[in-house]
Structures are given as structure tokens and as C-alpha cells.
Amino acid sequence: MTDLAGLLSGLLLRIAKHWIAGETLEDAIARAQQSSAHKIRGIINLLGEEITAREDAAAAAAEYLGILKTINARRIQSCISVKPTQMGLAIDESLFKDNLRKILSNAKSLGNFVWVDMEGSPFTAQTVDSYIESRKKFDNVGVAIQAYLKRSEEDVSRIIDSGGVIRLCKGAYNESPEIVYKRKNQIDENFSKLMRAMFERSKGFAIATHDEKLIEEATRLSSVHHADFEFEMLMGIRDKKKLELVERGYRVSEYIPFGKSWWAYSVRRIREHKSNVFLLARSLISG
Ligand SMILES: Cc1cc2nc3c(=O)[nH]c(=O)nc-3n(C[C@H](O)[C@H](O)[C@H](O)COP(=O)(O)OP(=O)(O)OC[C@H]3O[C@@H](n4cnc5c(N)ncnc54)[C@H](O)[C@@H]3O)c2cc1C
């Protein structure tokens, strides 16, 4: 790496550290311990996606087994979250299912839980179908559903009917208007609709948003439906709100990514909030 490329990469990593714990598992464990001191559970995620070599997918799955072992040995209050294409979905669906099965079985033996993240639309159908299939064997797995996708109402319904656990989020990928709602008010409206269905019909789920209005709507729904649910937020975003919700008696978890492949994740975070573009520009100018 040239000096300039090295400098730039160092600067970008400094910004990325707003949203990622660092490059090592120890960084993620340290963050999960800090969160746990505030009664917030961790959701540890090893960064990496769109893997194209079978060995790399197998290596990522093996790394997750190590993460589960460490969480268990050190009694860290944390589950894990995996990406389908990190487990090989972009290569071959059966490779993804095999890797996921290994992780679920290992997590189950350790009494831990696994979330399956939802990625871009080329992977939605396979992720939902594989999730419903794996749920028949494993009760320690949940899946993210994106409220911006027009198909999500049907997916939510299918997953609830199959007894699955949903993490409802808005969706972070750049998709075509044919398949997603593009305007914030449409996305929020759909989020609200899906959230109501979950409060009415689902046994357990997570509301994953930093949106004040939707969070408060969830608290109102929870006083009527008494559902088993938790709030989930990303590391580095709305930390005060997390503490406030804990104080008010709600369960809160924090998504804690770590690893060397921090670029794609950080770009999604920068893109979704204007102030982060200023943050990026300021850091690049001040060095
Ligand atoms: C636990 C968790 C897991 C997730 N898993 C997935 C997944 O599997 N697949 C997927 O596509 N997406 C996932 N997401 C991301 C999600 O889809 C959204 O892109 C992201 O949460 C921003 O949407 P929002 O609900 O916070 O609402 P927004 O309307 O984007 O934001 C609401 C408010 O939150 C704050 N905020 C939101 N984002 C930022 C930011 N980047 N920087 C600073 N402030 C911000 C601001 O105050 C903003 O006004 C996940 C999110 C969470 C919390």
C-alpha cells in the first residue's frame, strides 16, 4: 500500500469506528461488555459479505463457531448475526444452508441465538425460504425482514405462521422502485403496518430501528399486546435512546460489527444519514 492509500484507509477506518467495534473479536467483546454493563445485550457480527470462494465461506462459518465458543466461555451477554452471502449464498444455496446448519447446531448446544441478516433483493427469496426450512429444526434462529420491500407483508405473514422470529428493519440496500417503497413516509407506513401485525400475531420478535416515532409507536402497542419483543439498534447510533428504553423497562440489544471487511457496512451507514457525509468530509479535511 502506498503512503497515501495507507493514510486514506486509516482515516476511513477512524470514521468507520463510529459504527464498528474494531478489527478483532476482542474489540467486539469489549464493546459487548460495555453494553452489558448498561443492561444492553450484544449481537456480534463478523463483517463480510458477497463471498465468492467456498473456502472463504467455510472460514467465516468456522470463525463464527469460535465466536460462539468465546461468548460462552467468557459469559458475554451476546448472540450473533450472520449474513447469507458470507455463508456462501452467492455461490450455492446448499453451501449456505450447510454452513448455517453448523452454526445453528453449535449455537443451540451452547444455548445461544443466531440472527440471519437480510441482504440485497437477489437473495431475499432464498433467505426467507431457507430460514423457514431451518426453523423446522432449530428454534434458536431469527431473520431480518425489510419494511421497504413490497413483498415483506407476505413474508412476515409466512414467517409468523411458521412460528419464526422476525427482526423488523427498514432496509439498507439500494433497490429499484419496482420492488421497494422509496419515500420515507411510505417505508415508515409499511414498517408500522408490519409492526402491528407482529404485535398482534407473533410470539417473539425484534423492532430494529432508531426512528423515534416508530419506537414510541412500538411502546404503545406493547402496552396493549404484552408481546415478547426487544428493541434492537446499531452500535454508535442513538446510544442515549438505548439507555432511556432500558430505564423504561424494555429489552434492548445492540448490533456490534467487527472485522477487517468494514467498508461495505460503513458505506451503508454513511449513505443513510446526511450528517455522516459531513462527518466524513470533516475528517478527511482535518486529517
Ligand atoms: C439491529 C439492526 C439490524 C439491522 N439489520 C439489517 C439487515 O439485516 N438488513 C438490512 O437491510 N438492514 C438492516 N438494518 C439497517 C436498517 O435497515 C436501516 O438501514 C437503519 O437502521 C436505518 O434506518 P432507521 O430505522 O434507523 O430509520 P431512519 O429513518 O433511517 O433513521 C431514523 C433516525 O435514526 C438515526 N439514524 C439512522 N441511521 C443513522 C446513521 N447511519 N447515522 C446516524 N444516525 C442515524 C437518525 O436520528 C434518524 O433520524 C439493521 C438495523 C438494526 C438497528
Side-chain angles (χ1 to χ4, degrees):
M1 206 184 274
T2 64
D3 284 354
L4 183 63
L7 185 71
L8 202 59
S9 158
L11 273 176
L12 292 173
L13 177 59
R14 212 172 69 197
I15 298 157
K17 279 192 172 166
H18 275 91
W19 308 289
I20 66 162
E23 293 196 336
T24 69
L25 175 58
E26 275 314 308
D27 294 327
I29 297 283
R31 174 70 190 200
Q33 282 171 324
Q34 266 175 30
S35 301
S36 170
H38 297 290
K39 301 198 172 71
I40 296 168
R41 279 178 65 85
I43 305 171
I44 293 181
N45 165 255
L46 169 67
L47 290 160
E49 52 201 87
E50 302 263 351
I51 278 179
T52 52
R54 301 180 85 85
E55 322 73 89
D56 293 344
E63 207 166 333
Y64 268 113
L65 301 188
I67 296 170
L68 285 165
K69 194 170 162 192
T70 305
I71 289 174
N72 183 59
R74 292 173 50 186
R75 297 175 189 280
I76 308 296
Q77 292 300 306
S78 183
C79 60
I80 59 168
S81 205
V82 306
K83 284 205 165 28
T85 65
Q86 183 179 33
M87 299 295 114
L89 184 57
I91 306 168
D92 167 9
E93 190 174 346
S94 62
L95 176 68
F96 159 56
K97 287 184 185 170
D98 282 352
N99 284 327
L100 182 64
R101 199 175 311 119
K102 279 182 205 144
I103 292 173
L104 294 181
S105 158
N106 189 272
K108 174 114 181 134
S109 69
L110 297 171
N112 209 333
F113 190 85
V114 180
W115 284 107
V116 178
D117 288 347
M118 188 59 75
E119 301 181 77
S121 57
F123 306 108
T124 312
Q126 287 166 305
T127 303
V128 172
D129 292 347
S130 306
Y131 171 72
I132 290 174
E133 193 186 318
S134 60
R135 184 75 201 183
K136 288 182 188 147
K137 259 189 98 180
F138 297 99
D139 59 2
N140 61 323
V141 59
V143 67
I145 290 291
Q146 299 153 326
Y148 66 6
L149 276 185
K150 294 177 182 168
R151 60 170 282 160
S152 286
E153 187 173 1
E154 214 177 304
D155 289 335
V156 164
S157 189
R158 268 180 78 204
I159 295 169
I160 294 177
D161 289 344
S162 72
V165 180
I166 294 169
R167 168 210 288 158
L168 185 63
C169 63
K170 288 193 187 179
Y173 296 79
N174 199 8
E175 304 283 4
S176 112
E178 271 124 54
I179 59 165
V180 294
Y181 299 109
K182 279 284 185 190
R183 292 209 310 272
K184 179 174 161 55
N185 68 321
Q186 293 175 311
I187 299 168
D188 291 358
E189 219 169 89
N190 203 39
F191 192 109
S192 184
K193 183 176 178 185
L194 301 179
M195 179 163 73
R196 283 196 305 273
M198 285 158 58
F199 271 102
E200 282 160 16
R201 294 184 49 220
S202 173
K203 292 204 179 70
F205 55 92
I207 299 299
T209 182
H210 314 93
D211 191 315
E212 184 66 20
K213 263 195 177 157
L214 293 169
I215 291 172
E216 290 308 324
E217 187 182 338
T219 65
R220 286 192 296 279
L221 286 166
S222 75
S223 66
V224 180
H225 296 284
H226 307 289
D228 177 17
F229 82 107
E230 68 175 24
F231 286 108
E232 294 185 356
M233 296 191 214
L234 301 177
M235 181 191 151
I237 303 180
R238 300 217 62 195
D239 288 341
K240 279 196 196 137
K241 188 70 187 179
K242 292 170 193 159
L243 297 177
E244 180 209 307
L245 288 167
V246 169
E247 279 283 301
R248 288 163 63 186
Y250 295 102
R251 260 182 18 232
V252 179
S253 288
E254 179 179 70
Y255 189 93
I256 305 174
F258 81 95
K260 293 194 190 307
S261 306
W262 43 265
W263 179 246
Y265 179 87
S266 306
V267 169
R268 286 196 289 277
R269 298 293 78 77
I270 290 169
R271 245 196 18 216
E272 73 200 358
H273 207 248
K274 253 194 300 206
S275 66
N276 294 325
V277 178
F278 296 123
L279 182 77
L280 176 69
R282 216 176 42 227
S283 307
L284 290 176
I285 291 163
S286 62

